[in-house]
Amino acid sequence: TRRQSRKSHESEFFEMPLNSKSMEEFLKKVLNGFELCNVSFEKKLTLACAVSGGADSIALLTAAREILPPYFILKVITVNHNMRSKEETEGDAHFVQEYCKSLSLPCTRIDLPTGAIFDYAKSNHLGSEAAARFFRYQAFDAFIKQEKVDFLCLAHNKNDQIETILMRVLQGSAAESLGGIPRVRGKFIRPLLDISRMEIEAFLLHRGIPYCTDLTNFDTAMLRNKIRRKLIPFLNENFFTISAQTLKFT
């Protein structure tokens, strides 16, 4: 099941002290991430955050709410994929909606039809995650157009970048795809790409902000989870610090 949690369950790449200074540094890094995504603070923009309820997107939304200029319009979209039990998926979407209310931010909730992702995956010979991504980005594109969004912020972080590069290497992807996740792709931006999962969770812990933890992230039958929980710790222990070395490819 998926549950709300204040405790980190992710692999720790380094220790992150919980103090006000480190939290200020975190916000500065997020602000720098926006700047690296070519977000101009000199004019009024409409930004939106895609929020699942997980630590990454909750931290991104929280930071964006604090650091973006007051003349920016900030919106939220959350997509209920309906891939798990109704109780779990409804719980995640409701959690995001309630958190947005606490921040006085508008939240658009998209509920995909139950079974639609699995049916699409089967008919198109795709994995369920690839099918979910297809539906999710369809929802994002429609939301961007309808809400006149200048940039939609996605919460991929440094760890995601490392995992993606390793996954593409293992899958024999073309050399040009080994650069990893792009920081900017059209209206999609990723301000957290230089921030680790450990820093993100430390920020939320320091603030006392809960988030949802998807326990399917611990299923090592999935390639990304196997890389995260088995390959990267093995490389860190026996060869080199993967968080430093792998990013040299980006």
Side-chain angles (χ1 to χ4, degrees):
T1 60
R2 185 171 169 114
R3 58 190 173 82
Q4 295 178 19
S5 172
R6 278 190 168 92
K7 183 178 180 182
S8 167
H9 297 279
E10 304 295 347
S11 300
E12 298 183 4
F13 288 92
F14 56 87
E15 293 183 2
M16 174 57 55
L18 298 177
N19 56 59
S20 297
K21 184 177 180 180
S22 62
M23 295 305 98
E24 290 174 6
E25 288 300 316
F26 176 85
L27 292 175
K28 288 180 181 178
K29 289 182 76 170
V30 177
L31 182 62
N32 183 61
F34 276 104
E35 292 172 345
L36 291 172
C37 291
N38 303 319
V39 175
S40 172
F41 298 106
E42 297 179 357
K43 59 181 180 179
K44 181 178 179 180
L45 294 173
T46 297
L47 267 62
C49 292
V51 180
S52 67
D56 302 335
S57 59
I58 289 293
L60 173 59
L61 178 60
T62 304
R65 184 71 172 82
E66 292 187 26
I67 65 177
L68 293 179
Y71 49 85
F72 271 34
I73 298 173
L74 184 60
K75 301 181 179 184
V76 174
I77 179 172
T78 187
V79 179
N80 173 9
H81 296 83
N82 269 315
M83 294 175 68
R84 294 169 288 125
S85 70
K86 182 176 180 180
E87 180 182 1
E88 291 178 76
T89 56
E90 289 281 342
D92 291 353
H94 180 71
F95 172 77
V96 174
Q97 289 178 302
E98 289 301 306
Y99 188 61
C100 289
K101 283 183 183 178
S102 74
L103 298 177
S104 300
L105 293 174
C107 177
T108 297
R109 171 175 166 175
I110 305 297
D111 291 281
L112 300 178
T114 301
I117 289 175
F118 296 116
D119 290 344
Y120 183 84
K122 183 177 181 180
S123 61
N124 290 275
H125 307 289
L126 296 172
S128 59
E129 290 301 314
R133 185 182 187 279
F134 172 79
F135 278 94
R136 186 166 58 250
Y137 276 84
Q138 269 196 335
F140 290 165
D141 287 333
F143 173 76
I144 288 171
K145 184 177 181 179
Q146 180 177 338
E147 298 294 327
K148 297 179 172 58
V149 172
D150 293 300
F151 295 106
L152 179 61
C153 309
L154 306 177
H156 298 93
N157 59 49
K158 183 186 287 188
N159 296 60
D160 295 320
Q161 184 72 287
I162 296 165
E163 294 158 9
T164 296
I165 294 169
L166 287 174
M167 187 165 63
R168 290 176 179 174
V169 169
L170 293 175
Q171 291 174 326
S173 299
E176 57 268 21
S177 70
L178 298 182
I181 305 169
R183 194 181 299 276
V184 179
R185 183 176 65 81
K187 289 183 177 286
F188 296 98
I189 63 173
R190 297 175 173 87
L192 303 186
L193 273 186
D194 292 330
I195 301 176
S196 73
R197 187 171 290 120
M198 189 65 185
E199 291 173 286
I200 289 167
E201 293 179 348
F203 171 73
L204 294 175
L205 180 62
H206 183 267
R207 292 291 186 87
I209 299 172
Y211 55 89
C212 298
T213 300
D214 189 346
L215 296 187
T216 61
N217 289 337
F218 299 88
D219 181 5
T220 54
M222 299 179 182
L223 179 58
R224 181 178 290 274
N225 293 341
K226 186 176 292 185
I227 289 170
R228 178 184 301 169
R229 306 209 168 273
K230 294 188 175 182
L231 179 59
I232 290 177
F234 176 80
L235 293 174
N236 282 340
E237 182 178 353
N238 294 280
F239 293 94
F240 49 79
T241 304
I242 195 71
S243 57
Q245 293 292 327
T246 306
L247 289 179
K248 291 183 180 180
F249 290 103
T250 64

